[in-house]
Amino acid sequence: MKSDLVVSGGLVVFPEHTIRADIGMSGDTIDGVFPPGEVTGKQVIDAEGCFVLPGLIDPHVHPVYLDDIASTSKSAAFGGITTMAHYAYARPGNKLVDKINEFKEEGLSGSCTDFALHGGLFETLKQAEEIPQAFEMGVTSFKVFMAYAKLGWMTDDYAMAKVMDTVGQLGGMVAVHAETGLAIDYIMDKLLKEKTDFAERFLETSPDIAEGEGIFRAVSIGRLFNCPVYIPHVSSKEGVQVVRFLKNLGVKVYAETCPQYLGLTWEELKKFGPLGKVGPSIKTEEDRQALWEAAAAGLFDAFGSDHAPKDKKKSDDFFEAAYGSPEIETMLPVIWHAGVNSGIITPNRIAGLLAENTAKILGLFPQKGRLQKGADADIVIFDPAEAWTVTAANQHTNAKYTLFEGKELLGRVKKVLAGGKLLVDGKNFLGEQGKGRFLATKAGWLE
Ligand SMILES: [Zn+2]
């Protein structure tokens, strides 16, 4: 076999096994995965000593704060992510289809990598009317919030039923920020009256019980309408237990967790003050352990970054500070370090939860998600032996901070290819804005 480009000598990772192989590609497509030496290329990239993974897919991205779609795609590329699904939030007063069009246009002109979109509903009863039109535009997954009523974000059970009914009939998927919102608002009001130190008592405002209840209620409403429910950012042991219970019932629920919940605890984050304020909160060591046990046991369906770098400083008022943190570039190395290096999960699990499973859930498979003949030539070459220290200065987000500041990690993204071309080569970024394509999804339940 003759290809334009060959990635040779690496350990190629699939969800079910790892093999020593060469990958040939021509144009933007993979020609195949071959036994070593069976494919020759006009150009060869040596991946000796490295793991070779499919271009990663991040299903949970918010490119509307300090990073726009263009800068998010650059930051993502350095983290090995070559496909993203952005949340197109239609805030109160917005039309969902207008927001989808805006995100699509911004992505087509600014994104260096391929991208898809989820819709986000805030005036849910009204915006739900636009869901059939969104499907025609290639958007088949939608998010609602059960929390943040005071910000005007909360969807009540009546409106959630309407979304689940509509999406259930059309065959898509609903993502739910699952926390008992109004009870949390009451807790916050009570703490405000007590003039308390919010940083000290942050976990009380995002309790594990609220997450468990939220997940159970969201998925139960989904069951009423045969609508698959995707739970982003599961953060607690209680959340894991409820997901396990529902999965054991055979219910249509997908669960995602994020590197910040797998890699950090609130105890160690407190020193960052409002920078560590994310929703749901990063909880205790016991919760972190439970998330890892669940990941090892195959309970999670995807990892996502929840990349949402907000404009805030350590010295800001904790209560007023916005929720969110930069996560997309550190996602793979943090999960690799905490999960693979410690023997909790295998690289194969990463190829599933950060690529193949995600592609299947979003309906982007087999174009994305697996290194095989005919797939897009999106490839990550990961050096498991490079030791490095995370610091804001070596990150590409516009945020001037990272929650992993000072963390020593083993394993780093070395090269990234997207569409058969080098996107990242060591410290060099070779991407071009406007190269990314919009990918229509076919999100839904995998039988
Ligand atoms: Zn999010």
Side-chain angles (χ1 to χ4, degrees):
M1 179 79 197
K2 277 194 169 59
S3 290
D4 290 349
L5 178 62
V6 173
V7 171
S8 105
L11 290 168
V12 180
V13 187
F14 301 92
E16 59 289 340
H17 61 190
T18 304
I19 55 172
R20 186 172 292 282
D22 295 348
I23 301 170
M25 65 207 86
S26 298
D28 58 9
T29 308
I30 293 174
D31 293 325
V33 179
F34 303 93
E38 287 195 7
V39 56
T40 54
K42 292 178 207 152
Q43 237 191 309
V44 176
I45 293 176
D46 182 13
E48 189 71 41
C50 291
F51 285 98
V52 180
L53 294 148
L56 306 181
I57 302 168
D58 187 346
H60 189 162
V61 189
H62 302 288
V64 292
Y65 304 108
L66 293 177
D67 289 330
D68 60 10
I69 291 182
S71 58
T72 303
S73 71
K74 181 177 177 183
S75 209
F78 279 100
I81 291 138
T82 54
T83 303
M84 278 159 279
H86 299 301
Y87 278 103
Y89 280 176
R91 309 243 176 205
N94 293 151
K95 284 196 72 181
L96 175 64
V97 294
D98 291 348
K99 279 289 149 188
I100 291 170
N101 277 325
E102 274 173 38
F103 271 73
K104 196 170 159 184
E105 275 168 36
E106 187 194 329
L108 289 173
S109 64
S111 188
C112 306
T113 59
D114 292 348
F115 67 98
L117 298 173
H118 309 284
L121 310 179
F122 289 66
E123 267 178 343
T124 304
L125 273 184
K126 201 164 139 197
Q127 291 163 337
E129 303 283 343
E130 300 176 70
I131 287 175
Q133 217 181 323
F135 265 75
E136 284 168 22
M137 298 164 81
V139 176
T140 56
S141 49
F142 303 87
K143 182 179 184 190
V144 294
F145 289 85
M146 296 171 90
Y148 309 130
K150 287 183 191 204
L151 301 174
W153 294 25
M154 194 180 83
T155 291
D156 66 20
D157 294 354
Y158 184 94
M160 189 144 60
K162 178 168 173 171
V163 173
M164 301 280 196
D165 190 14
T166 309
V167 174
Q169 288 182 44
L170 291 167
M173 170 175 97
V174 176
V176 182
H177 178 117
E179 284 187 298
T180 318
L182 294 177
I184 285 175
D185 283 352
Y186 171 78
I187 292 168
M188 288 217 231
D189 286 344
K190 199 173 154 189
L191 293 183
L192 263 182
K193 272 189 206 141
E194 288 174 18
K195 298 196 175 17
T196 192
D197 177 351
F198 263 97
E200 206 45 58
R201 300 182 67 179
F202 181 46
L203 294 196
E204 292 173 46
T205 69
S206 177
D208 56 353
I209 297 168
E211 181 169 80
E213 187 280 330
I215 293 171
F216 186 80
R217 179 154 44 105
V219 176
S220 298
I221 296 173
R223 289 176 72 190
L224 293 171
F225 302 100
N226 194 30
C227 178
V229 176
Y230 181 99
I231 305 292
H233 53 49
V234 175
S235 68
S236 66
K237 183 177 180 180
E238 183 108 358
V240 163
Q241 286 169 336
V242 173
V243 168
R244 185 177 291 120
F245 173 80
L246 291 165
K247 288 205 167 202
N248 284 341
L249 288 184
V251 168
K252 294 179 179 176
V253 54
Y254 294 123
E256 169 206 280
T257 190
C258 315
Q260 53 274 41
Y261 304 109
L262 291 166
L264 298 165
T265 62
W266 182 242
E267 198 50 41
E268 62 177 320
L269 260 189
K270 261 189 212 168
K271 61 178 186 284
F272 290 103
L275 301 185
K277 185 180 174 186
V278 303
S281 59
I282 292 163
K283 296 183 170 65
T284 68
E285 180 59 21
E286 193 183 347
D287 293 298
R288 201 180 74 86
Q289 294 293 344
L291 293 170
W292 273 120
E293 280 165 28
L299 194 80
F300 285 111
D301 301 283
F303 290 143
S305 74
D306 201 0
H307 184 73
K310 303 273 177 87
D311 188 9
K312 50 188 177 180
K313 301 185 296 297
K314 255 190 220 178
S315 56
D316 288 350
D317 178 79
F318 191 91
F319 182 75
E320 296 293 336
Y323 292 95
S325 60
E327 296 292 342
I328 204 162
E329 186 170 346
T330 41
M331 177 160 64
L332 172 62
V334 161
I335 291 176
W336 190 284
H337 185 81
V340 176
N341 291 344
S342 58
I344 303 171
I345 58 168
T346 59
N348 310 92
R349 187 73 87 188
I350 287 188
L353 294 179
L354 273 167
E356 187 163 329
N357 287 18
T358 319
K360 287 177 174 169
I361 290 169
L362 294 173
L364 301 174
F365 191 81
Q367 183 188 354
K368 303 289 185 189
R370 187 180 177 92
L371 296 168
Q372 62 183 358
K373 186 178 182 333
D376 286 354
D378 302 344
I379 297 173
V380 182
I381 300 174
F382 187 83
D383 182 354
E386 183 175 343
W388 63 292
T389 304
V390 183
T391 181
N394 62 24
Q395 296 294 293
H396 298 82
T397 167
N398 291 326
K400 301 278 184 285
Y401 61 91
T402 160
L403 302 187
F404 298 95
E405 183 68 42
K407 286 259 180 198
E408 291 171 16
L409 304 179
L410 183 62
R412 194 171 195 176
V413 171
K414 196 173 181 186
K415 289 179 201 288
V416 179
L417 292 137
K421 292 204 174 70
L422 269 175
L423 181 65
V424 167
D425 189 2
K427 291 192 167 68
N428 300 317
F429 183 65
L430 305 167
E432 261 180 81
Q433 288 187 19
K435 284 284 173 196
R437 296 167 298 175
F438 171 70
L439 306 171
T441 62
K442 279 203 179 77
W445 192 248
L446 303 166
E447 294 303 338

